[in-house]
Structure formats: C-alpha cells, structure tokens
Amino acid sequence: MLVVVDIADLAVSRDPAATLITYSLGSCIGVAIYDPVAKVGGLLHYMLPESQLAPEKAKSNPAMFCDTGVPRLFRAAYDLGAVKTRLVVKVAGGSQLLDDNGTFNIGKRNYLALRKLFWKNGVMIQAEHVGGSLSRTLKLDVSSGVVTLKSRNEEVPL
Amino acid sequence: MSAVLLDDIVTRIGRLSHLPTTVLRLVGIVSDPSSSLAQIVETIRYDQAITADVLRLCNSAYFGLVRKVESLDDAVRLLGTVKILQLVMAAHTRALLSRPQEGYGLPAGALWRHSVGVALGAQLLARPMRLTQLGLLFTAGLLHDIGKVALNEFVAREYAEIARRVAEEQISFAEAEAAVLGFTHPQLGGRLAELWNLPESIVLAVRYHHDPEAATGEQTLVDATHLADAVCLLMGVGGGDDGLSYRACPAVLARHNLTEPDLELIGADMIAELRAVQALFESY
C-alpha cells in the first residue's frame, strides 16, 4: 500500500504492507525515520525552515516548517512505539536553482535549519542526498526500513 | 535548427492549437487598465457555456455552500470577480495545458498544475510588489509556459542531447534548448502569444520569463512571472525534468526590494491556494 506524503505533510506507520513516498522534492526537504526494532517508519516533506515566518500557518499545518514539522514527525513515531535512540534518520532534498549569487537559497536554509535542530537534540543523520539542482522522490518501506531515492530516472538505496 | 524552422513551427502550431475565444476575450479585458471588474462579469454573462461552468464549479462539493448558487450574480457575490476569473481561465486552459509533455518529463496534468501555481504566485506577488492588475498577473503566469506545448515534440526528439548538456555543462534546460534546437520554449511561446494577438505585456512575460534582464519595455509583469516561476519550481510543483535547471535572476529581487522571506511567504500561500484550486477541479 502506497501512502503518498504531499508537500507540507507527514505520515507515520507500523503497517508492514505500507510504503511511504513523497514526490518532487525541490528546495523542500524529505526526512525519513525508522525504528528497526519497533518497525515503525515516518516520512515528512517540509517546505520552509522557520515557523516564525507565518505562525498561523504553522499552527494549522505544522508539517510546512522544519522547526514545527520535525518534532511532530518524531512524536508521531514515538506514539506508535518508536524509540529515539533506535531511530535511523535519512534526509533528501534542499535543491537550488542555478544561481551564482545564491540569492534564491531556500533549499540551503531548509537544510541548515534541520542540521541545527538535529544538533541541538542529539540526532544523527545516517544518510543524506541534498543540494544540487535535482528533483527527488523519497520512499520508505515500512517492513524493511529500506529508503530509496529517485532522481533523473535513477533509483538508488539511500 | 534554423530560424526558418522556428517560423514553420509557429505557423503550424499556431494554426493547430489556440486559446479558447473566451480566454482571449478575458485576456483583452484584464490587460486594459481602464477595464472594470463589471466588464469581466458581462463577458461571462453572455457566454452560456461559461456561465454554466461557473455555476457548476460554485456548486461543487469543495465550496460546501449551504444554498445552491443559481445565477452568475450570486456567484460573483459569493466568490468575487477575481476568483471567478481565475476559475474560468484555469478551466478553459485545462485541456490545452493538461496534455502530457514527455519532452519535459511532465505527465498528464503536470503542466497545468504548474501553470496554475505560477498564476497564483504571480497574483500573490501583487502585494509585496505593490501592483494592482491581479487579472493580468494571473494570466501571464497561467500562459508563461505555452511554448512548451508547442516545443515538446522537438525537445522529446533531442532529449538525450539536451539532458546531457544540462548535466555536463551546468547550463539551464532553456540554455540547452537554445544550444541544441536553436531557440527556446519562451521564445517560441512569445511568438505564439503574438500570433494569438495577446497584449504586449503578456507577450513579454511569456518571452522573457527565463531571462528578465533581456526584456525591453514594461518589465514588471516579466519580473513577477519569473519570480513566481522560480518559487513554484523550488516548491517542486510541476517542474518535470528541467524544473530546477533554471537560471534564477537575483537582480529581480533587488529591483523590487524583495527578500528571501518574501519569496518563502509567497511559496507557502501559493501551495495553500493551489491545493484549494486542485481540490475544486477534482470534485468538478
């Protein structure tokens, strides 16, 4: 069963038949987490780094921002029995346009916000595929925890 | 490919696919600064098919209106003229823009979704850019990639070479189009817009949305279209294969005193509005 995680959205599952997938990550970031013991997986597709940009939007849709979406993702996984120290964390996205001045840098800011948040909370990223000018699709198989990354028609495990 | 071939394509495509008459009429109204919202309503009123469309959209599940909307005046009162204009334009470009564009890696529906996203984004830029012609902004955004519809089959044929140049030479997809085909989808789109007698400001927005610095004449609509396109592609909306291989123009931000957070807010609002429009058409 394919569970599609839309932009500014998240999903968690412990259904072994489920595959969580999110398409077209541009400057947005996809965060996949998995507890191999509890066999609980979660996937977030956030758009922007900080909720202070639009607090009401963050309230109605926390998955839109890094600082509100990531805690929400982790808590939802804990609710299904995941344990923080066991979580395997994988990250993809944060693309940029071709821009020599780096002015349109939402992708970079998105990634830095995540690094900062994880550093503060002692979370390690086990694998990542970020930056460049790629459109990415990120997929998490809940029964095995295998995370797959697709870009430019190439599919590789992350 | 030579310039002679560009002319051939323009003539051939221009004859084959064109914008619905209603869209052309509405474009004429929104691009005239002296026109009023009342004129938009009048144009719709005398077209029974469109009036029926508007009523059907208004009565669709998405709006969840308690009472049935029975007349165009009801609809305008409930949604406002700008919203009605958006719906009519989006509905009437849907058939043309929803075809799959294999050359660009766009499945069915993706180019329409992207076009509506850019239209909404351009309109949202009205506030930070202090612009008033909402209908014109929406229209420029909606039609900016019209050249892709015409160029798709040629890009598809040369796709391997275009993709190779994008990957190896770190150039944009449009720059690779120029290198391999001799011209780009914005150039072709601009020619089509001329052929269809679209207003000059829309022709410019279509032609220069990838390269605002090259535009001559009225720059504002070009700039808004470029920014809305950039934001939409960053957010991953209907970019296809070429999406992020897009040369962003920082001078546009400086020209309008816009900052990165301004763009982020546009992105957040655009996604929310696009979701609403899509939900509407799905239930339609």
Side-chain angles (χ1 to χ4, degrees):
Chain A
M1 184 191 42
L2 211 55
V3 179
V4 177
V5 177
D6 207 349
I7 181 168
D9 193 9
L10 68 88
V12 290
S13 176
R14 60 177 165 204
D15 175 359
T19 296
L20 311 180
I21 188 163
T22 196
Y23 298 100
S24 319
L25 288 160
S27 62
C28 301
I29 298 233
V31 181
I33 60 175
Y34 188 71
D35 178 337
V37 177
K39 294 196 181 298
V40 169
L43 185 61
L44 164 72
H45 180 149
Y46 72 81
M47 283 171 64
L48 298 169
E50 286 165 29
S51 58
Q52 67 180 37
L53 182 78
E56 306 99 79
K57 281 203 170 59
K59 218 172 189 180
S60 64
N61 186 5
M64 186 174 268
F65 301 95
C66 176
D67 61 346
T68 46
V70 173
R72 184 64 71 107
L73 172 74
F74 277 65
R75 259 180 257 130
Y78 300 157
D79 287 346
L80 292 184
V83 173
K84 182 179 173 183
T85 50
R86 293 196 301 243
L87 283 174
V88 177
V89 179
K90 298 183 178 180
V91 173
S95 280
Q96 310 255 57
L97 300 173
L98 303 175
D99 166 18
D100 301 333
N101 300 28
T103 317
F104 295 71
N105 59 359
I106 302 179
K108 193 181 257 172
R109 283 160 42 78
N110 266 337
Y111 178 62
L112 290 177
L114 184 68
R115 290 292 296 255
K116 197 171 112 191
L117 184 68
F118 279 168
W119 183 77
K120 269 211 272 197
N121 290 281
V123 174
M124 300 281 284
I125 298 175
Q126 195 180 71
E128 64 179 26
H129 198 280
V130 293
S133 295
L134 297 172
S135 172
R136 298 172 169 94
T137 291
L138 192 64
K139 197 164 77 174
L140 167 67
D141 180 298
V142 176
S143 69
S144 65
V146 169
V147 175
T148 316
L149 178 89
K150 192 176 160 194
S151 70
R152 288 206 170 119
N153 286 322
E154 275 177 290
E155 206 170 79
V156 289
L158 184 67
Chain B
M1 206 175 278
S2 68
V4 181
L5 249 163
L6 174 60
D7 288 339
D8 286 351
I9 295 175
V10 170
T11 323
R12 189 158 64 90
I13 308 278
R15 238 184 273 131
L16 284 177
S17 50
H18 46 82
L19 290 173
T21 326
T22 309
V23 173
L24 289 175
R25 258 164 51 207
L26 288 172
V27 170
I29 293 172
V30 299
S31 63
D32 177 358
S34 65
S35 71
S36 66
L37 293 177
Q39 276 174 282
I40 296 173
V41 179
E42 288 313 301
T43 302
I44 296 171
R45 192 187 304 282
Y46 295 109
D47 188 320
Q48 285 183 340
I50 295 185
T51 302
D53 270 356
V54 168
L55 295 183
R56 204 145 34 113
L57 280 163
C58 289
N59 286 312
S60 74
Y62 171 72
F63 282 110
L65 301 172
V66 182
R67 146 182 105 76
K68 197 160 184 252
V69 177
E70 277 164 354
S71 71
L72 190 61
D73 292 324
D74 271 359
V76 171
R77 252 196 310 277
L78 275 163
L79 300 176
T81 313
V82 171
K83 193 102 220 161
I84 301 272
L85 176 75
Q86 282 180 6
L87 295 179
V88 171
M89 296 281 257
H92 286 259
T93 50
R94 201 175 177 209
L96 181 65
L97 295 175
S98 282
R99 297 178 205 151
Q101 308 293 341
E102 298 86 354
Y104 294 92
L106 293 164
L111 183 60
W112 181 74
R113 186 163 178 260
H114 171 72
S115 303
V116 173
V118 175
L120 293 168
Q123 195 175 298
L124 285 163
L125 278 161
R127 197 191 295 183
M129 288 175 73
R130 294 184 195 87
L131 306 172
T132 50
Q133 287 185 278
L134 297 182
L136 197 58
L137 286 161
F138 186 85
T139 308
L142 190 66
L143 300 178
H144 77 287
D145 263 349
I146 201 82
K148 280 191 179 173
V149 176
L151 200 54
N152 172 57
E153 61 174 296
F154 300 93
V155 171
R157 222 175 285 160
E158 302 288 344
Y159 184 76
E161 177 61 13
I162 293 174
R164 185 191 68 77
R165 289 187 187 235
V166 168
E168 286 174 17
E169 296 171 19
Q170 292 292 300
I171 56 175
S172 76
F173 199 92
E175 287 158 0
E177 281 178 353
V180 175
L181 300 172
F183 55 90
T184 64
H185 73 270
Q187 284 175 324
L188 179 54
R191 291 283 299 273
L192 286 174
E194 270 173 351
L195 191 76
W196 295 335
N197 289 318
L198 295 181
E200 177 70 10
S201 57
I202 301 227
V203 173
L204 289 177
V206 172
R207 179 170 291 150
Y208 295 111
H209 73 272
H210 274 257
D211 190 9
E213 293 303 271
T216 48
E218 174 49 38
Q219 186 97 40
T220 316
L221 203 58
V222 179
D223 287 354
T225 308
H226 175 73
L227 289 179
D229 199 16
V231 170
C232 205
L233 293 168
L234 281 167
M235 298 301 151
V237 176
D241 289 341
D242 71 325
L244 294 151
S245 300
Y246 187 100
R247 195 157 308 276
C249 179
V252 174
L253 286 180
R255 189 151 50 230
H256 301 281
N257 282 320
L258 295 171
T259 60
E260 174 85 13
D262 289 325
L263 291 188
E264 292 183 1
L265 264 182
I266 297 294
D269 287 335
M270 183 205 71
I271 289 293
E273 290 198 9
L274 181 60
R275 224 174 243 177
V277 172
Q278 257 192 304
L280 179 60
F281 279 91
E282 272 156 24
S283 61
Y284 169 59

